[in-house]
Amino acid sequence: MVRIGAFLVGLFFAGWLLVSFLMGAVAYVSEPPQPTVEHEFHELPKHVSFSFDGPLGGYDKQQLQRGFQVYKEVCSACHSLKFVAFRDLEALGYNEAEVKAIAKQWAIKAPSVDPATGEASTREPMPADYFPKPFANNVAAAAANNNAIPPDLSLMTKARHHGSAYVYSLLTGYQAQPAALLKEFPDSKTPEGLHYNPYFANLNLAMAPPLTAEGQVTYSDGTKPTVDQMAKDVSAFLTWTAEPKLENRRRAGLATIIFLLIATGLAYMSYQNIWAEKKKAA
């Protein structure tokens, strides 16, 4: 009796799911979804190649250092790296003295308050400190950025599909709204204070183009700082902040695959050797 009841309940739910599916299919055919400006004009990230592409790729430390320079001189005024410590920069090729010098360029707020002014005091940064936030809180961040809170960039390339290419495309994708867009969707004009970018989800974002001209930063290794180069470099750097152990993980994966192949070969030869005589006897 219990089995019959369970069967009937399952049959009921299966039938209900089938009816719901058919109703949805009929609604989709009779009233197809209306095209939206985001659906028609949102673009997939551009194709761009990096040294860490592919299963055997690795980071180019020179590029990572250039990308860090772009972040420091351009992006850090608005965006934080709250999951990255100054000492982590040693992985980019900086020595201990250089890391200490870099850390001193930031102000770290101390937990104490200056009794004379009532403001939070600051202390000298240490390599163990994490990159400080550029704003005291979200209210201050929104007030300084057209009511938009700049996101933390530590894990940005993992938070977005095609992360590295997405960041590169976004930085190089600012443009005027296409005439076709305004013709088809006349009410979709980019609002005042926002900027059109087809690689952003809703096409309009509060961040003004951060990379605007060649030579915005000066690379110490002599690389020409074009907008395209700066965008690639900072995209690579942000990939490293999101996946600092990428190279170790790939090396471990390769070693594991090689071990499994060898172990499989040895197991097969052992099998052949153990059962060879019994096969002959059979």
Side-chain angles (χ1 to χ4, degrees):
M1 190 66 182
V2 174
R3 291 182 178 179
I4 295 175
F7 174 77
L8 292 176
V9 170
L11 185 63
F12 170 78
F13 280 107
W16 184 255
L17 288 174
L18 179 61
V19 170
S20 299
F21 172 77
L22 293 175
M23 291 174 63
V26 170
Y28 182 86
V29 173
S30 60
E31 297 181 11
Q34 296 299 313
T36 63
V37 61
E38 292 87 356
H39 177 75
E40 296 215 2
F41 290 91
H42 177 63
E43 297 184 19
L44 294 176
K46 302 175 183 177
H47 175 73
V48 57
S49 59
F50 292 96
S51 61
F52 47 82
D53 290 339
L56 301 179
Y59 290 123
D60 178 349
K61 291 187 177 181
Q62 283 292 102
Q63 183 178 48
L64 296 184
Q65 290 188 16
R66 294 195 303 269
F68 170 63
Q69 185 177 350
V70 175
Y71 166 77
K72 180 178 66 174
E73 298 183 18
V74 179
C75 309
S76 64
C78 298
H79 296 277
S80 58
L81 284 179
K82 64 181 180 181
F83 295 120
V84 182
F86 292 111
R87 63 186 175 190
D88 294 335
L89 297 177
E90 292 183 10
L92 274 59
Y94 294 108
N95 58 40
E96 186 177 348
E98 290 173 325
V99 169
K100 289 182 178 179
I102 291 171
K104 288 182 179 179
Q105 298 175 19
W106 269 266
I108 303 295
K109 289 186 177 180
S112 59
V113 176
D114 189 337
T117 63
E119 297 180 354
S121 58
T122 59
R123 61 173 174 80
E124 184 174 310
M126 298 181 294
D129 288 319
Y130 286 80
F131 280 83
K133 296 180 180 180
F135 301 102
N137 50 53
N138 288 343
V139 175
N145 293 278
N146 195 26
N147 291 322
I149 301 174
D152 180 81
L153 298 181
S154 305
L155 304 176
M156 183 56 66
T157 59
K158 288 186 73 67
R160 298 292 184 270
H161 196 47
H162 301 298
S164 307
Y166 167 80
V167 173
Y168 168 80
S169 302
L170 190 73
L171 292 174
T172 58
Y174 288 89
Q175 57 187 265
Q177 280 188 299
L181 183 153
L182 295 175
K183 182 178 180 181
E184 186 174 351
F185 301 95
D187 295 332
S188 298
K189 182 176 175 58
T190 298
E192 187 71 25
L194 299 184
H195 307 272
Y196 179 77
N197 193 314
Y199 300 99
F200 193 63
N202 66 0
L203 307 182
N204 300 300
L205 70 164
M207 182 177 70
L211 303 176
T212 56
E214 181 178 320
Q216 198 167 341
V217 301
T218 301
Y219 287 141
S220 59
D221 63 358
T223 301
K224 189 175 182 180
T226 62
V227 170
D228 183 81
Q229 184 66 53
M230 290 186 289
K232 285 188 67 175
D233 292 341
V234 76
S235 299
F237 171 70
L238 293 179
T239 302
W240 172 79
T241 64
E243 297 189 88
K245 303 298 184 182
L246 177 142
E247 293 175 312
N248 293 340
R249 178 163 50 80
R250 288 180 174 175
R251 281 195 291 266
L254 179 62
T256 301
I257 291 174
I258 293 174
F259 169 78
L260 290 175
L261 289 174
I262 294 174
T264 301
L266 291 174
Y268 178 75
M269 289 187 288
S270 299
Y271 167 80
Q272 293 289 82
N273 184 57
I274 291 171
W275 292 95
E277 295 298 327
K278 295 188 176 183
K279 286 182 178 179
K280 290 180 181 179

